[in-house]
């Protein structure tokens, strides 16, 4: 029987061969897919990522943009999509790199799709930059597809290793655009429908006025509100939302 991670495209490694510092590879989110990503003006990026996974034309893909535009979601969704196409995939969150060691990259070239998130988190760290550089070269030799994400475009990430900076820009580079307010409201209502309830427009606008405007933060809050409304048998109204926000 498949585990939730396998169903979502994260191929399990042989735990008996893993060093302790490699375990964080498995601590990923479940139920992340392209279908749960509201693309907005980034729909072409999603289409191109899918196409490259099915039939790679470049050594690497690179997505960049402000926090909250969905970079991590896309990389994790890419792993699930690869799995659906009978390709192995792995996701490495470098925002958590202080919890493990550069040795985590050893052997990852054996995967068909390698997703490395938050590349800018290791900038100016020689050991990490060298390890990622060598993974890039090994993956290139093995024919693996590399996918990277960061807050800035390749040339703007302040990496000390210039050869690594150069390699990150070898493939296709996409800038993820932030959703406009109208799109965020539509995305919130779409997310609500996915969870089986309706979100009145005025409640959605209230959330955007009172809370973080980052899409992933709004989605997370909406999920919590859904759980709270179910628990208390109440509809999502502005008074209920106000009470929930003020008490958390």
């Amino acid at each position: 029987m498949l585990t939730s991670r396998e169903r979502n495209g994260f191929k399990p490694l042989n735990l008996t061969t893993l060093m302790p510092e490699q375990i964080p590879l498995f601590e990923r989110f479940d139920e992340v897919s392209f279908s749960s990503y509201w693309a907005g003006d980034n729909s072409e990026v999603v289409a191109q990522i899918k196409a490259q996974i099915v039939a790679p034309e470049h050594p690497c893909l690179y997505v960049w943009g402000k926090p909250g535009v969905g970079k991590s979601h896309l990389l994790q969704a890419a792993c699930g999509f690869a799995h659906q196409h009978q390709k192995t995939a792995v996701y490495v969150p470098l925002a958590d790199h202080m919890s493990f060691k550069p040795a985590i990259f050893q052997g990852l070239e054996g995967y068909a799709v390698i997703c490395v998130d938050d590349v800018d988190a290791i900038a100016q760290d020689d050991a990490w930059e060298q390890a990622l550089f060598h993974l890039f070269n090994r993956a290139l030799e093995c024919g693996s597809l590399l996918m990277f994400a960061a807050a800035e475009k390749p040339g703007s990430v302040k990496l000390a290793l210039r050869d690594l900076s150069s390699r990150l820009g070898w493939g296709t580079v996409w800038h993820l655009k932030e959703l406009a307010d109208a799109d965020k409201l539509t995305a919130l209502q779409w997310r609500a429908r996915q969870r089986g309830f309706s979100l009145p427009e005025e409640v959605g606008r209230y959330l955007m006025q009172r809370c973080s405007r980052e899409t992933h933060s709004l989605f997370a809050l909406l999920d919590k509100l859904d759980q709270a409304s179910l628990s208390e048998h109440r509809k999502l109204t502005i008074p209920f939302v106000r009470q929930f926000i003020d008490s958390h």
Side-chain angles (χ1 to χ4, degrees):
M1 180 178 294
L2 292 176
T3 67
S4 59
R5 288 190 178 89
E6 289 174 303
R7 286 195 297 273
N8 288 293
F10 299 102
K11 176 183 178 294
L13 295 173
N14 182 350
L15 288 173
T16 62
T17 65
L18 279 178
M19 293 177 286
E21 60 267 23
Q22 290 180 293
I23 299 300
L25 284 169
F26 303 101
E27 302 306 318
R28 295 299 91 220
F29 302 106
D30 292 336
E31 300 178 1
V32 178
S33 66
F34 288 123
S35 64
S36 61
Y37 176 74
W38 182 263
D41 291 336
N42 299 313
S43 56
E44 180 62 23
V45 177
V46 174
Q48 288 297 319
I49 290 173
K50 290 180 178 179
Q52 289 299 314
I53 291 172
V54 173
E57 296 180 356
H58 305 287
C60 70
L61 314 176
Y62 187 107
V63 294
W64 66 281
K66 295 180 179 179
V69 295
K71 301 184 295 294
S72 298
H73 190 121
L74 285 182
L75 263 64
Q76 293 169 27
C79 288
F81 187 79
H83 181 75
Q84 292 171 14
H85 287 78
Q86 290 74 54
K87 294 187 176 185
T88 56
V90 64
Y91 172 84
V92 185
L94 290 183
D96 302 332
H97 76 281
M98 296 300 290
S99 300
F100 41 101
K101 298 178 182 179
I104 199 169
F105 289 140
Q106 290 298 323
L108 296 192
E109 65 275 8
Y111 285 84
V113 178
I114 306 164
C115 293
V116 182
D117 203 356
D118 303 300
V119 173
D120 35 357
I122 62 166
Q124 302 298 313
D125 188 314
D126 182 66
W128 275 101
E129 289 191 22
Q130 289 286 345
L132 183 56
F133 174 75
H134 292 303
L135 170 63
F136 192 111
N137 292 337
R138 295 194 308 270
L140 196 63
E141 292 178 1
C142 293
S144 303
L145 175 66
L146 285 156
M147 187 170 173
F148 301 100
E152 298 179 296
K153 57 187 177 182
S156 298
V157 177
K158 302 185 185 305
L159 297 169
L161 188 57
R162 297 180 67 179
D163 285 342
L164 174 58
S165 181
S166 173
R167 277 165 171 70
L168 292 177
W170 276 8
T172 305
V173 178
W174 290 297
H175 179 207
L176 293 179
K177 300 175 184 177
E178 189 173 8
L179 293 179
D181 283 350
D183 285 330
K184 288 180 182 179
L185 178 58
T186 303
L188 279 171
Q189 293 178 311
W190 167 78
R191 175 77 169 197
R193 289 193 298 272
Q194 280 194 319
R195 295 184 64 91
F197 67 98
S198 62
L199 177 70
E201 182 175 329
E202 63 272 17
V203 177
R205 293 191 183 281
Y206 180 80
L207 288 175
M208 293 170 57
Q209 292 170 357
R210 286 288 306 273
C211 309
S212 168
R213 301 179 77 83
E214 293 182 359
T215 306
H216 75 290
S217 297
L218 287 169
F219 278 4
L221 176 59
L222 187 65
D223 293 348
K224 292 178 181 177
L225 286 167
D226 179 29
Q227 294 172 3
S229 67
L230 288 172
S231 175
E232 299 183 28
H233 305 288
R234 294 178 61 182
K235 293 183 178 180
L236 279 187
T237 62
I238 290 179
F240 174 74
V241 171
R242 181 187 300 116
Q243 177 185 344
F244 180 86
I245 293 174
D246 290 344
S247 63
H248 287 77

